[in-house]
């Protein structure tokens, strides 16, 4: 079979099993778009901005575990995609991004729509390639998928000059089944000696703590994690990225940790004597003050990326390997071990944890005459029975969604945790909805974030995507306002948004349904009405309390036991502990 | 502490910028960097001199290993090794006294005068970084016109080697 470069690219995607290609055409990729015409195996989704193409592919990848694939043109197509590529990179999301490039002969001549895409993306990709010879094209695509999806996943860019896809040049096509790279051989299986030491340490713990992250979701380690935690009966917390890997409704789950983590999770972190970190990377939003992080704990760390280990926090037992592989081995050892957890110590530890829990740190004013954002999230949880896919943008609404939705399954909570990209939510929800057309997909957002990719309402109309947009509209860039209230003496510098659009009319002009909700008493009824419209995109413009804050909060650089608490918490049962 | 890190890297366009970019993006020190193909033209050997605490050096080696193009890495300073750098240095040498003194110093350091004009000597000198520094110090009385240093290269002593 002789194919042109453009046809080879499309055929590679078919052979790789790609269902969806999120993209936007332009000069440098016209040959590829011509090859996409009249074929139905790879469905091309035309977005309205290249940033959205990357976020949509990213959302698809996070929900399905399969790589997201993007096609954009050279120059501005590539630069617009950079934010989405960096977003995926920070959260280790497998993606393959094909960028068009000017013809090989014009590279370096400042040609029209020329940009050094390989150079610009280098710091925010796992790897990138410039294809200089059509004979390398198929193998390069194979390598791109291999690198993107193995080891610690990440985005890979393939830059394809226009002459490489010239329809008049055809070569025999062969897509390699496997690819070997001498310079890239990720470790999957953990070191057995280290695993044994880790299990011994875990069984000797008096105040153990399990801390999990996005690596459990990405590594598909949720089932092994559940076996592991239930076998031990130890408390477990999760980062923002790991929510759902362990069911949040389970008694052993203490909620999220870190800057906006629960009181019990953060206190248990501070007081634990053995910590096992699983697929988590000790991000600064999690650790708080490094010098006071888990001061009394011996630390075990499982991660597929050796460079994540002892990067910020020195660990005692490092284990490099994939989460399910390592946990499976640990579970085997736990089953065959003659030792078992110290029952007396563990039950005393739980008593201590339960006294922290009794504060009900996520309490808020339920009798307010204003709509409380927390209530909105709790209500959408009820209406969707906790079964929805929830994407979010970035800010207060993101934290409330993380705290109050209560995820019981992995891959359901989709947000930009590492880079914190406003504008992520709506296009990510599109990607999820394409993957799961019959499921409820919610984008929790704010009136600030949603305007960063609002144009995608048009894409949603074109493809009939019934995403439910829940905009918590407080007329403030809420998280900025909260920091200004706490740390800048209420100087609300440029965090207030005037001249907001009428979101209902805006949504309607895009051909969708808009519902504005202003009063708490209308909330449930209006949400139920909107969620009942299964085949329509509904934009809920919900007017929420302007001054509500996200609690608990650890100020940047403070220790885990130093939290701002909601004024609606219960008094602590443990009198020895003073609240800040 | 100063470390000499040797890496074998795929000899591909952009490989050097991946390494240089890593150092600048993560704020690591880089004292010198040399790179050239090996006997296998698909592989380049790169030698990087850097400094930092043990934690930073550990991160540097891990981050370098993480680069998809890096095939193998060895921190030479962890074992016995040989370090060499080459320097070309042009010195003003017009008077008889200057010419004699520069020649004498070059001999002491086992350098070679490789170019001569009526007013200059150009000396080639090879050795560990500190030896080249000492030679420059020794020339304090003289006018140095130009200094060109190759950057450090190195190799492990004995049986130990960095190869595929």
């Amino acid at each position: 079979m002789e194919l042109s470069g453009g046809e080879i690219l499309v055929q590679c995607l078919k052979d790789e099993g790609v269902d969806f290609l999120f993209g936007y055409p332009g000069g440098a990729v016209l040959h590829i778009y011509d090859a996409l015409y009249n074929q139905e195996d790879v469905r091309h989704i035309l977005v309205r901005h290249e940033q959205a193409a990357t976020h949509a592919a990213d959302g698809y990848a996070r929900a399905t575990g399969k790589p997201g694939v993007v096609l954009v043109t050279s120059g501005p197509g590539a630069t617009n995609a950079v934010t989405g590529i960096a977003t995926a990179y920070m959260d280790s999301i497998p993606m393959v991004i094909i960028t068009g490039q000017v013809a090989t002969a014009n590279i370096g001549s400042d040609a029209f729509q020329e940009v050094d895409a390989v150079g610009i993306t280098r710091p925010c990709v796992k790897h990138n390639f410039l294809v200089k010879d059509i004979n390398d094209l198929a193998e390069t695509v194979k390598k791109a998928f291999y690198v993107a999806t193995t080891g610690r996943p990440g985005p890979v860019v393939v830059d394809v000059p226009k002459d490489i896809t010239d329809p008049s040049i055809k070569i025999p096509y062969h897509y390699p089944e496997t690819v070997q790279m001498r310079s890239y051989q990720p470790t999957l299986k953990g070191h057995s000696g280290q695993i044994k030491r880790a299990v011994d340490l875990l069984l000797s713990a008096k105040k153990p703590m399990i801390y999990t992250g996005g690596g459990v979701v990405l590594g598909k380690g949720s089932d092994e994690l559940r076996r592991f935690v239930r076998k031990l009966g130890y408390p477990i917390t999760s980062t923002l990225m790991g929510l759902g890997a362990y069911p949040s409704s389970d008694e052993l789950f203490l909620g999220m940790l870190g800057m906006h983590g629960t009181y019990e999770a953060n206190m248990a972190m501070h007081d634990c004597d053995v910590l096992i970190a699983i697929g988590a990377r000790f991000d600064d939003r999690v650790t708080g003050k490094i010098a006071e992080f888990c001061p009394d704990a011996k630390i075990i760390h499982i991660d597929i990326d050796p460079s994540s280990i002892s990067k910020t926090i020195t660990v005692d037992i490092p284990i490099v390997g994939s989460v399910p592989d390592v946990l499976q081995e640990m579970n085997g050892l736990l089953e065959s071990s003659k030792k078992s957890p110290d029952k007396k110590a563990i039950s005393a530890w739980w008593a201590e944890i339960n006294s922290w829990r009794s504060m009900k740190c996520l309490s808020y004013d339920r009798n307010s005459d204003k709509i409380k954002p927390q209530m909105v999230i709790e209500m959408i949880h009820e209406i969707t029975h906790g079964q929805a896919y929830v994407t979010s943008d970035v800010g207060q609404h993101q934290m409330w969604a993380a705290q109050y939705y209560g995820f019981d399954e992995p891959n359901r909570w989709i947000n930009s945790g590492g880079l914190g990209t406003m504008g992520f939510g709506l296009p990510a929800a599109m990607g999820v909805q394409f993957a799961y057309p019959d499921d409820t997909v919610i984008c929790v957002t704010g009136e600030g974030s949603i305007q960063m990719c609002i144009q995608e309402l048009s894409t949603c109309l074109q493809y009939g995507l019934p995403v439910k947009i829940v905009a918590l509209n407080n007329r403030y860039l809420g998280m900025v306002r909260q920091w200004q209230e706490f740390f800048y003496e209420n100087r609300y510098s440029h965090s207030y948004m005037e001249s907001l659009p009428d979101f209902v009319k805006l949504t309607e002009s895009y051909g969708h349904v808009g519902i504005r909700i202003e009063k708490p008493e209308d909330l449930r009824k209006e949400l139920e009405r909107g969620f009942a419209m299964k085949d329509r995109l509904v934009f809920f413009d919900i007017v929420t309390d302007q001054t509500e804050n996200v609690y608990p909060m650890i100020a940047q650089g403070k220790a885990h036991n130093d939290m701002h608490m909601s004024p609606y918490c219960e008094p602590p049962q443990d009198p020895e502990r003073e609240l800040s | 502490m100063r470390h000499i890190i040797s890496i074998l890297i795929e000899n591909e366009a952009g490989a050097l910028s991946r390494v240089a970019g890593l150092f600048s993006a993560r704020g690591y020190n880089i004292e010198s960097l040399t790179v050239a193909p090996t006997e296998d033209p698909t592989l380049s050997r790169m030698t990087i001199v850097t400094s930092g605490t043990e934690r930073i050096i550990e991160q540097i080696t891990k981050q370098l290993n993480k680069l998809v193009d890096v095939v193998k890495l060895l921190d030479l300073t962890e074992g016995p090794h040989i370090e060499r750098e080459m320097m070309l240095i042009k010195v003003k040498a017009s008077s008889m006294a200057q010419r004699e003194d520069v020649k004498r110093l070059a001999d002491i350091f086992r350098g070679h005068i490789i170019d001569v004009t009526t007013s200059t000597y150009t000396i080639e000198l090879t050795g560990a970084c500190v030896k080249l520094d000492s030679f420059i110090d020794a020339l304090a009385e003289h006018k140095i016109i130009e200094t060109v240093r190759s950057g450090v290269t190195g190799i492990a002593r004995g049986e130990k080697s960095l190869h595929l």
Side-chain angles (χ1 to χ4, degrees):
Chain A
M1 181 167 53
E2 296 231 319
L3 298 178
S4 71
E7 291 164 341
I8 288 173
L9 259 180
V10 174
Q11 191 59 43
C12 288
L13 299 184
K14 288 182 193 176
D15 288 347
E16 199 59 47
V18 173
D19 308 323
F20 293 102
L21 175 61
F22 300 91
Y24 204 102
V29 287
L30 280 175
H31 297 327
I32 306 171
Y33 271 84
D34 198 47
L36 280 168
Y37 198 65
N38 278 342
Q39 62 81 43
E40 285 171 358
D41 296 320
V42 180
R43 193 171 166 209
H44 179 273
I45 307 302
L46 178 67
V47 293
R48 298 298 181 266
H49 187 292
E50 288 90 348
Q51 181 186 348
T54 51
H55 291 330
D58 182 326
Y60 172 88
R62 290 182 203 234
T64 61
K66 295 195 281 184
V69 189
V70 175
L71 173 60
V72 295
T73 193
S74 63
T79 56
N80 278 344
V82 166
T83 299
I85 295 170
T87 303
Y89 180 66
M90 288 294 276
D91 290 341
S92 308
I93 305 305
M95 276 177 34
V96 172
I97 303 99
I98 299 162
T99 53
Q101 182 54 278
V102 301
T104 322
N106 294 333
I107 289 179
S109 70
D110 300 322
F112 176 65
Q113 290 195 330
E114 181 187 358
V115 76
D116 175 10
V118 166
I120 284 180
T121 58
R122 188 176 299 122
C124 60
V125 292
K126 183 169 173 187
H127 197 56
N128 57 18
F129 299 93
L130 170 64
V131 182
K132 286 183 171 165
D133 183 339
I134 184 175
N135 294 299
D136 298 336
L137 185 56
E139 194 185 348
T140 304
V141 173
K142 182 74 199 178
K143 280 183 182 171
F145 276 94
Y146 173 61
V147 171
T149 54
T150 51
R152 179 178 182 172
V156 176
V157 165
V158 183
D159 201 27
V160 184
K162 189 168 184 182
D163 53 312
I164 302 291
T165 57
D166 185 340
S168 67
I169 302 168
K170 300 199 178 214
I171 61 159
Y173 171 75
H174 167 70
Y175 195 62
E177 291 222 340
T178 55
V179 64
Q180 283 286 328
M181 294 170 76
R182 63 182 172 185
S183 63
Y184 175 74
Q185 281 152 354
T187 311
L188 294 178
K189 201 181 165 310
H191 186 280
S192 292
Q194 292 288 83
I195 291 174
K196 198 172 167 306
R197 282 179 59 208
V199 168
D200 285 345
L201 179 60
L202 277 168
L203 290 175
S204 71
K206 304 212 178 300
K207 296 181 166 192
M209 188 66 180
I210 300 165
Y211 144 56
T212 61
V216 183
V217 179
L218 291 166
K220 303 180 177 77
S222 188
D223 291 341
E224 289 294 342
L225 176 72
R226 290 169 189 216
R227 277 178 59 203
F228 175 75
V229 177
R230 284 172 186 153
K231 199 172 297 295
L232 287 167
Y234 289 176
I236 172 172
T237 181
S238 167
T239 67
L240 179 70
M241 299 310 299
L243 293 175
Y246 193 82
S248 65
S249 55
D250 190 279
E251 190 63 17
L252 301 178
F253 188 68
L254 304 190
M256 184 168 76
L257 84 165
M259 185 172 272
H260 294 296
T262 63
Y263 185 71
E264 52 270 32
N266 286 332
M267 291 303 286
M269 286 293 287
H270 192 77
D271 283 12
C272 70
D273 69 346
V274 173
L275 177 73
I276 178 166
I278 307 174
R281 63 184 178 91
F282 299 87
D283 174 78
D284 57 281
R285 287 294 190 268
V286 160
T287 58
K289 189 174 184 179
I290 296 281
E292 290 176 36
F293 177 80
C294 299
D296 306 319
K298 291 256 184 232
I299 302 176
I300 302 160
H301 187 187
I302 305 170
D303 205 290
I304 199 159
D305 177 3
S307 75
S308 280
I309 291 174
S310 292
K311 184 168 74 174
T312 54
I313 301 287
T314 308
V315 304
D316 300 283
I317 304 181
I319 301 170
V320 177
S322 90
V323 168
D325 285 313
V326 174
L327 285 184
Q328 190 179 29
E329 201 169 331
M330 283 192 167
N331 284 334
L333 285 176
L334 285 173
E335 269 158 28
S336 61
S337 175
K338 290 189 190 88
K339 282 211 295 182
S340 57
D342 181 341
K343 276 206 179 105
K344 210 173 135 200
I346 302 301
S347 82
W349 177 226
W350 272 111
E352 199 172 349
I353 289 169
N354 286 332
S355 78
W356 295 325
R357 260 185 176 164
S358 68
M359 283 187 66
K360 301 196 165 64
C361 68
L362 294 178
S363 302
Y364 59 92
D365 181 6
R366 289 177 183 275
N367 304 313
S368 171
D369 57 356
K370 300 190 178 97
I371 297 177
K372 288 288 179 180
Q374 301 93 326
M375 182 173 284
V376 177
I377 307 295
E378 285 182 341
M379 219 168 263
I380 61 174
H381 174 99
E382 278 175 42
I383 291 169
T384 58
H385 308 289
Q387 294 298 306
Y389 288 85
V390 180
T391 74
S392 90
D393 276 299
V394 171
Q396 284 184 319
H397 66 267
Q398 177 189 24
M399 292 301 115
W400 285 317
Q403 290 173 325
Y404 294 90
Y405 190 82
F407 294 91
D408 281 347
E409 296 298 330
N411 307 96
R412 300 262 167 166
W413 165 235
I414 286 149
N415 81 127
S416 166
L419 196 66
T421 309
M422 291 170 71
F424 175 81
L426 176 56
M430 300 183 336
V432 181
Q433 191 79 75
F434 277 114
Y436 301 112
D438 300 327
D439 284 280
T440 304
V441 181
I442 304 171
C443 166
V444 175
T445 183
E447 81 287 354
S449 285
I450 191 66
Q451 293 191 74
M452 287 210 183
C453 272
I454 191 86
Q455 76 284 345
E456 295 309 314
L457 286 173
S458 175
T459 311
C460 291
L461 183 70
Q462 180 169 346
Y463 297 98
L465 301 175
V467 172
K468 301 294 179 279
I469 299 170
V470 175
L472 304 175
N473 183 348
N474 61 359
R475 287 81 69 211
Y476 269 116
L477 301 175
M479 192 57 93
V480 173
R481 191 207 61 75
Q482 177 170 342
W483 281 54
Q484 288 170 337
E485 179 190 328
F486 285 10
F487 313 119
Y488 297 89
E489 296 165 331
N490 303 317
R491 291 188 297 278
Y492 297 134
S493 181
H494 302 277
S495 54
Y496 182 73
M497 278 210 176
E498 287 179 271
S499 308
L500 286 171
D502 178 333
F503 286 111
V504 171
K505 281 189 188 152
L506 180 71
T507 311
E508 285 170 356
S509 82
Y510 274 109
H512 304 296
V513 179
I515 297 178
R516 185 170 168 90
I517 312 176
E518 296 177 343
K519 297 191 198 107
E521 56 269 29
D522 297 336
L523 186 59
R524 180 179 296 275
K525 181 182 65 180
E526 291 294 81
L527 283 173
E528 282 175 349
R529 181 167 74 87
F531 273 91
M533 295 184 222
K534 294 281 180 210
D535 54 351
R536 298 297 302 273
L537 182 146
V538 180
F539 189 119
F540 300 97
D541 177 20
I542 306 175
V543 181
T544 57
D545 186 348
Q546 280 195 286
T547 57
E548 187 60 46
N549 289 322
V550 180
Y551 292 110
M553 178 175 187
I554 302 174
Q556 195 163 26
K558 298 283 186 180
H560 275 159
N561 59 349
D562 187 359
M563 281 171 266
H564 289 264
M565 302 298 292
S566 161
Y568 291 88
C569 292
E570 307 281 327
Q573 282 183 356
D574 181 352
E576 286 172 15
R577 293 206 176 269
E578 296 274 319
L579 286 179
S580 59
Chain B
M1 213 185 103
R2 180 172 177 269
H3 283 250
I4 305 171
I5 295 170
S6 272
I7 58 182
L8 283 176
I9 187 164
E10 295 288 354
N11 184 11
E12 281 180 12
L16 174 61
S17 58
R18 285 182 210 281
V19 172
L22 169 69
F23 274 75
S24 64
R26 295 192 180 265
Y28 302 142
N29 292 320
I30 194 161
E31 280 175 26
S32 77
L33 187 157
T34 66
V35 59
T38 64
E39 78 285 358
D40 172 355
T42 66
L43 281 175
S44 288
R45 170 88 173 223
M46 195 180 284
T47 311
I48 300 162
V49 178
T50 183
S51 59
T53 60
E54 283 311 300
R55 176 192 289 276
I56 287 171
I57 299 296
E58 186 183 328
Q59 266 300 306
I60 289 174
T61 57
K62 283 174 168 176
Q63 293 290 348
L64 283 168
N65 263 318
K66 193 168 148 182
L67 291 177
V68 168
D69 279 341
V70 169
V71 186
K72 262 192 160 177
L73 179 150
L74 177 66
D75 184 345
L76 288 177
T77 22
E78 282 183 349
H81 63 280
I82 298 157
E83 170 191 340
R84 286 290 181 274
E85 182 173 9
M86 202 260 273
M87 174 165 72
L88 302 175
I89 186 161
K90 192 175 283 182
V91 185
K92 189 157 171 47
S94 29
S95 73
M96 210 48 159
Q98 277 174 338
R99 291 174 89 88
E100 276 183 8
D101 193 45
V102 172
K103 170 83 170 64
R104 190 175 55 83
L105 287 169
D107 288 343
I108 292 170
F109 279 84
R110 295 195 193 88
H112 305 286
I113 295 172
I114 54 170
D115 188 53
V116 176
T117 71
T118 51
S119 59
T120 63
Y121 276 166
T122 300
I123 302 149
E124 176 191 326
L125 185 64
T126 304
C129 196
V130 284
K131 176 179 166 184
L132 307 192
D133 293 342
S134 309
F135 185 61
I136 291 172
D137 291 344
L139 288 169
E141 306 278 297
H142 297 274
K143 168 102 177 99
I144 296 172
I145 299 164
E146 202 176 340
T147 308
V148 187
R149 294 174 72 150
S150 64
V152 169
T153 61
I155 196 162
R157 283 190 184 273
E159 299 281 309
K160 191 165 188 177
S161 65
L162 179 64
H163 67 110
L164 286 194

